[in-house]
Amino acid sequence: MATRGKITIRTLLARKREGERFSMLTCYDYSTARLIEAAGIDSILVGDTYGEVCLGYGSTLPVTLDHLVTVTAGVRRGAPTAYLVGDMPFLSYQVSIEEAIRSAGKFMVEGGCDCVKAEVDRRHLPTVEAMSAASIPVMAHLGLRPQAVNQIGGYLAQGKKASEAKRIIEDAKMMEDAGAVALLLEAVPTEVAGVIAESTALPVIGCVSGPRCDGQVVVLHDMLGYSAGHPPRSIKPYANLHDQLIEAFQAYAADVAQGAFPLAEKSISLDADQWRELSRQLAPHKRTTE
Ligand code: KIV
């Protein structure tokens, strides 16, 4: 496969200008990152969904900065050219602007990402502005903000009423003016996503927000049919790893039970001389009687 150059924000901006859609997947480990890179996916998000799909939490809230920075560094080692986005966990940027800059800086320096993503609305403008002034590229995540699940009362679509939709459209413009380098829209109506994507120069990535965005992101486990729960209804399964992996695990257990794995001829063995020598050394010491 031909090697490609580094994907940067300029690449994504050019794609948008030329009307070429781009793809993003979430990823949480080095080995999978290598496959995603080999497949030519443009961008990777080390999302805080890591907490749900890899750690088994019921929400993204318990994920820590240290968790995600370590994971991000591993993903970067596997995917050196993808546009890598680190997802700022709950309370890593809400407490103070100073803490937000430190958290984002850790992602950039230790995680090796190209950009950080933060779940925001207009109340976070000073934070986005300050991070941008500190030369930290920010992807503003608008619409459904899963870190606010307890305030919202569930993972509900946002912007379904005209007044709410207008607010999200205004927030998008404010984020652009505050220096965000890209927007991510989660669970907003197609029409709202279309208005935003068509009125900004920034690349707009959609997550369950319809086909009018410049790029799309999906949670890897959902598109692979690997998730424990039910993926969003708009997700198209590209594999059925859930069933395939269970079959593989069952086949392995059956082989072990029947002695079909491991095979002696594929195992490590002593050469004949060493086996003779070992047998001699292990033979019971013969007592010589007088
Ligand atoms: O954490 C994540 O995976 C995300 C996507 C759902 C956009 O934020």
Side-chain angles (χ1 to χ4, degrees):
M1 183 180 190
T3 50
R4 64 176 180 184
K6 177 80 188 82
I7 310 271
T8 67
I9 190 62
R10 288 170 63 83
T11 322
L12 302 186
L13 285 164
R15 292 278 182 83
K16 173 163 180 134
R17 276 197 309 274
E18 284 148 29
E20 286 173 22
R21 301 279 164 85
F22 56 87
S23 49
M24 177 191 248
L25 282 173
T26 68
C27 179
Y28 318 99
D29 70 279
Y30 164 80
S31 301
T32 312
R34 288 183 51 148
L35 303 180
I36 292 176
E37 172 101 358
I41 299 290
D42 303 299
S43 179
I44 293 178
L45 169 66
V46 180
D48 59 2
T49 43
Y50 168 76
E52 297 171 305
V53 296
C54 297
L55 300 182
Y57 291 127
S59 77
T60 58
L61 301 195
V63 173
T64 66
L65 183 66
D66 286 342
H67 276 144
L68 278 199
V69 169
T70 305
V71 171
T72 305
V75 169
R76 172 51 91 205
R77 287 190 283 276
T81 69
Y83 188 74
L84 182 61
V85 183
D87 202 4
M88 297 194 66
F90 185 52
L91 296 190
S92 69
Y93 59 99
Q94 294 94 335
V95 176
S96 70
I97 286 180
E98 195 177 314
E99 209 168 317
I101 292 177
R102 258 189 237 295
S103 305
K106 199 169 155 79
F107 255 124
M108 303 294 297
V109 174
E110 295 174 30
C113 56
D114 296 300
C115 170
V116 295
K117 173 170 88 57
E119 295 179 14
V120 289
D121 60 24
R122 62 189 67 191
R123 293 170 296 179
H124 303 96
L125 280 173
T127 308
V128 173
E129 238 157 22
M131 290 203 286
S132 173
S135 307
I136 295 167
V138 182
M139 178 177 289
H141 177 150
L142 302 165
L144 174 60
R145 293 181 296 117
Q147 291 173 15
V149 61
N150 296 312
Q151 258 181 341
I152 301 165
Y155 296 103
L156 307 177
Q158 301 292 300
K160 286 178 79 177
K161 285 194 192 137
S163 56
E164 280 175 13
K166 183 164 171 275
R167 213 173 151 80
I168 296 172
I169 293 166
E170 288 168 359
D171 283 358
K173 175 76 183 115
M174 288 176 190
M175 291 299 154
E176 181 171 11
D177 294 344
V181 298
L183 304 174
L184 187 147
L185 303 176
E186 179 162 358
V188 303
T190 303
E191 298 80 357
V192 178
V195 169
I196 294 174
E198 282 147 30
S199 61
T200 174
L202 301 184
V204 176
I205 295 138
C207 175
V208 194
S209 293
R212 287 172 63 185
C213 298
D214 307 306
Q216 295 293 332
V217 60
V218 292
V219 172
L220 185 85
H221 291 56
D222 290 344
M223 62 86 75
L224 291 179
Y226 189 14
S227 301
H230 292 289
R233 77 189 155 104
S234 65
I235 291 296
K236 177 174 170 189
Y238 289 85
N240 183 359
L241 287 198
H242 176 274
D243 292 359
Q244 285 172 355
L245 291 180
I246 290 179
E247 274 168 32
F249 300 148
Q250 287 172 336
Y252 162 70
D255 277 357
V256 171
Q258 290 157 13
F261 175 84
L263 295 174
E265 61 269 28
K266 291 198 173 172
S267 302
I268 307 161
S269 39
L270 286 176
D271 65 30
D273 286 350
Q274 293 304 315
W275 175 232
R276 253 193 309 280
E277 174 59 18
L278 179 64
S279 305
R280 193 188 63 73
Q281 289 186 22
L282 293 179
H285 185 66
K286 287 206 185 95
R287 233 174 234 279
T288 46
T289 41
E290 286 154 25

